Amino acid sequence: MKIFQRLVPWILLAIALFILPAALDDFRLNLFGRYFSLAITALAIDLIWGYTGLLSLGQGIFFALGGYAVAMYLMLNTKSLAGGNGIPKFFENYGVDQLPFFWQPFWSPVFTLIALWVIPAVVAGLVGWLIFRNRIKGVYFSIITQAALMVFFHFFNGQQKLFDGTNGLKTSTSELFGQLVGSPDMQVWFYRLTVVLLPLAFLVCRYFTSGRFGDALIAIRDDESRLRFAGFNPVPFKTIVFLVAGALCGISGALYTVQSGIVSPQYMSISFSIEMVIWVAVGGRGTLVGPIIGATLVNYLRSLVSEALPEAWLFVQGALFIFVVVLMPDGIYGWITKGGFRTFLAAFGIAQKAKTYPQIDKEAVPVD
């Protein structure tokens, strides 16, 4: 079973790299590119929730910040989107004739590539440090992160003169390397870039969840008070892991933006951040592979249901979440790796039921 667990990520990567581009048309391939970009956010949530026990309901903040960073660069460097004074046309609609100072650095591609993950990381680190230094945890942590999400949502939603408000920033008609971002060739390139960055994000999460640092995260999740009693300060651990998760969400948001063609305040909506948590719960938190499966499966199912019955998805999503929580508390991947699939086959006489062994009370065993 351990060999199976080690091979699963690489099998999935091989399928994504070689089979899907050959088997799917441009539209479906673009959808899977979005799913894989969202899987990076699922990995980030698993890092802070599955391993550290921090249920954040505000990861949409960092996801959107990464998206806005890349969208600002694309709008500034596309001549067809510029008005008479060389700045994006939407500024003229609100009487703005001079580019805001914080837009200026996004003329640079190097700055943008750094900013799309550094800005979310800095914001996440600052928010996390302010929360963790006051020993806020549990449900109060979740409430505060959701409150922060609402603050960012209303700020971006109301800033028409700075970010075009509810309309958001459109990138599908922007240009990159002399081609439209929304063109099929560019979308295939973004898909392949996403498939490359996803396993790198997986390895980053694996690095932080292994060794002594990973042991500290699990100790924080299981019994933070005992960790403090042992002489460890959990604040730096939680701040670092929250910062890393914010950076991953920023990269995810940037990849999703260039493949969906728009970034808007809706990325910071409460419902979207809750959906991110559902992906992890469905796939299996604390596994890293599970969130990738959950994000891809849930979003693919959403596309199928929405195409057939557009109004039925919320009911299907709720039913799926309840089904997994009640019958598969360890998620789909956890259910499979713990013998659930074999038990299912055994019910139909296809395989033998997984053996379970009783726990031995070592204190009750006489020792010579």
Side-chain angles (χ1 to χ4, degrees):
M1 190 58 69
K2 290 183 178 180
I3 297 177
F4 171 76
Q5 294 179 21
R6 293 176 181 177
L7 290 179
V8 164
W10 308 113
I11 293 174
L12 295 176
L13 177 61
I15 293 174
L17 273 175
F18 302 107
I19 297 179
L20 290 183
L24 301 177
D25 56 29
D26 292 338
F27 174 73
R28 295 292 175 185
L29 191 66
N30 174 258
L31 288 181
F32 273 93
R34 300 186 204 180
Y35 304 157
F36 294 149
S37 64
L38 294 175
I40 298 178
T41 293
L43 279 172
I45 294 177
D46 194 34
L47 182 63
I48 58 175
W49 181 37
Y51 283 89
T52 319
L54 303 171
L55 178 55
S56 172
L57 299 179
Q59 293 306 108
I61 297 172
F62 319 118
F63 183 88
L65 289 176
Y68 270 100
V70 71
M72 290 164 69
Y73 166 77
L74 291 173
M75 295 197 72
L76 287 176
N77 289 273
T78 302
K79 295 181 179 179
S80 61
L81 298 180
N85 51 3
I87 64 176
K89 293 180 181 179
F90 80 86
F91 282 114
E92 298 179 353
N93 299 333
Y94 306 108
V96 178
D97 55 5
Q98 187 174 1
L99 192 67
F101 72 93
F102 60 87
W103 274 72
Q104 296 287 350
F106 289 95
W107 284 104
S108 169
V110 176
F111 176 86
T112 303
L113 288 174
I114 297 174
L116 63 86
W117 63 270
V118 169
I119 292 177
V122 171
V123 173
L126 180 60
V127 171
W129 181 76
L130 292 174
I131 295 175
F132 302 139
R133 68 188 294 267
N134 292 296
R135 299 193 179 185
I136 298 173
K137 57 184 180 179
V139 66
Y140 299 104
F141 171 78
S142 301
I143 292 173
I144 290 178
T145 54
Q146 190 173 81
L149 179 72
M150 294 176 65
V151 170
F152 275 85
F153 171 79
H154 289 294
F155 174 77
F156 278 83
N157 199 48
Q159 295 298 321
Q160 282 83 3
K161 293 184 178 181
L162 300 179
F163 304 104
D164 206 14
T166 56
N167 297 321
L169 304 179
K170 299 176 177 61
T171 63
S172 57
T173 55
S174 301
E175 297 175 1
L176 186 65
F177 305 130
Q179 298 188 50
L180 290 177
V181 171
S183 65
D185 291 340
M186 287 300 297
Q187 289 301 308
V188 172
W189 189 86
F190 286 130
Y191 168 83
R192 296 189 182 278
L193 177 63
T194 303
V195 171
V196 170
L197 291 179
L198 178 57
L200 292 179
F202 174 85
L203 293 176
V204 168
C205 293
R206 179 66 72 190
Y207 173 78
F208 280 98
T209 56
S210 60
R212 297 186 65 183
F213 193 92
D215 293 339
L217 297 183
I218 295 174
I220 293 171
R221 179 193 66 188
D222 294 343
D223 196 337
E224 184 176 337
S225 299
R226 180 173 294 183
L227 184 69
R228 289 183 180 273
F229 184 77
F232 289 89
N233 181 10
V235 174
F237 293 97
K238 293 196 288 187
T239 302
I240 291 173
V241 79
F242 199 63
L243 181 151
V244 172
L248 291 176
C249 287
I251 296 172
S252 173
L255 292 171
Y256 188 82
T257 295
V258 294
Q259 293 179 92
S260 63
I262 188 173
V263 59
S264 73
Q266 291 302 314
Y267 289 0
M268 290 180 275
S269 65
I270 294 176
S271 60
F272 188 49
S273 289
I274 293 177
E275 283 182 23
M276 297 175 181
V277 175
I278 293 176
W279 305 336
V280 179
V282 170
R285 71 187 185 104
T287 62
L288 294 184
V289 177
I292 298 176
I293 297 174
T296 305
L297 181 63
V298 172
N299 283 285
Y300 180 61
L301 183 62
R302 177 178 185 171
S303 298
L304 294 179
V305 173
S306 298
E307 290 173 4
L309 300 170
E311 298 179 357
W313 168 243
L314 290 178
F315 299 99
V316 174
Q317 179 178 246
L320 177 64
F321 182 67
I322 294 173
F323 175 81
V324 170
V325 169
V326 174
L327 299 179
M328 300 179 183
D330 296 319
I332 295 174
Y333 183 72
W335 178 75
I336 293 175
T337 55
K338 292 183 179 180
F341 187 67
R342 183 182 296 179
T343 303
F344 175 78
L345 294 178
F348 295 92
I350 301 176
Q352 293 182 354
K353 187 176 180 180
K355 296 181 179 180
T356 58
Y357 300 93
Q359 296 293 328
I360 300 176
D361 187 357
K362 295 182 180 180
E363 296 182 358
V365 177
V367 179
D368 295 335

